[in-house]
Amino acid sequence: MKVKICGLTRPEDIAAVNLYRPDYVGFVLQFPRSRRSLTPEQAQRLRAVLSPGIPAVGVTVNLPLAENAALLERGTVDILQLHGQEDDAIVRQLQARTGKPVWKAFRVRSQADLDAARRSSADLVLLDNGYGTGEAFDWTLVRDIGRPFALAGGLRTDNIQAAARMQPYLMDISSGAETDGVKDADKIRALITQIRSF
């Protein structure tokens, strides 16, 4: 089971992940509604001090295709995670244009949402409650999705064990690794240690 620490914004955050080594890190890009939003230039500066062995995922919401592609083509990030209403055609176009992995997030409210995730051309689908709400969705909806998936939304040390029963490929954690709205190195360490123990 792999772990991604998402929403990094400070050099201190990079120092923590370099030390505790999650499988992925995430930068929220060009989404001003999020307090974790970065410009590509800010992300590039943080990426420059990120350990080369940790892939960077760029989280975007409804950006034009060319802007999304540029994030991969310029090496700002290694993987793109689409978190808006992008359809499957956009996923396939980005994959074909860049040759890089493209993940797609699905807001889970019903079996229909899971069916859409199952059919997606994305390299990995991410099942979430919404747009960075920090709350979990009804995990009982996740039965046999039939493909590897990432689980996100409200993951914390006190519910990680229950989340692990869903058998996700990846746990995607943001607010659960924060104290007072900023990443907390102790929480990052505790979460990674806990997930690696499963």
Side-chain angles (χ1 to χ4, degrees):
M1 197 172 297
K2 298 187 182 299
V3 57
K4 170 170 163 262
I5 303 296
C6 198
L8 307 184
T9 59
R10 308 173 303 154
E12 300 96 311
D13 303 342
I14 302 298
V17 296
N18 283 346
L19 182 60
Y20 298 121
R21 312 291 298 183
D23 299 284
Y24 303 90
V25 299
F27 299 124
V28 178
L29 297 168
Q30 311 270 75
F31 188 55
R33 281 172 49 189
S34 171
R35 59 183 166 78
R36 305 180 186 101
S37 183
L38 302 174
T39 66
E41 293 74 25
Q42 289 171 319
Q44 195 80 55
R45 287 195 290 272
L46 292 175
R47 176 75 192 277
V49 292
L50 178 67
S51 171
I54 305 175
V57 180
V59 179
T60 68
V61 180
N62 298 325
L63 283 185
L65 188 141
E67 288 185 39
N68 271 323
L71 295 169
L72 294 169
E73 291 163 347
R74 294 172 184 162
T76 305
V77 292
D78 303 293
I79 298 165
L80 207 57
Q81 179 178 313
L82 305 177
H83 236 283
Q85 285 75 49
E86 304 89 355
D87 63 19
D88 209 50
I90 294 290
V91 172
R92 294 194 304 270
Q93 287 176 62
L94 284 166
Q95 290 167 325
R97 175 167 167 170
T98 67
K100 301 285 182 68
V102 177
W103 299 355
K104 180 71 180 85
F106 290 83
R107 185 180 182 194
V108 178
R109 290 291 181 275
S110 68
Q111 189 61 46
D113 299 321
L114 285 178
D115 291 342
R118 186 180 294 113
R119 294 191 301 266
S120 174
S121 299
D123 295 277
L124 184 68
V125 295
L126 183 136
L127 308 181
D128 197 0
N129 181 58
Y131 299 123
T133 60
E135 298 174 3
F137 65 92
D138 180 3
W139 292 337
T140 63
L141 290 169
V142 182
R143 294 184 183 88
D144 181 21
I145 188 173
R147 64 179 293 176
F149 67 95
L151 189 63
L155 297 174
R156 306 176 304 274
T157 53
D158 62 354
N159 66 6
I160 284 286
Q161 189 160 1
R165 295 189 196 109
M166 303 299 108
Q167 298 186 310
Y169 166 79
L170 171 76
M171 300 266 203
D172 191 334
I173 300 167
S174 189
S175 61
E178 294 177 350
T179 299
D180 297 328
V182 295
K183 291 295 181 283
D184 181 319
D186 290 335
K187 287 184 177 179
I188 290 172
R189 176 191 52 76
L191 285 158
I192 292 172
T193 300
Q194 191 175 6
I195 291 167
R196 294 258 164 85
S197 73
F198 296 135

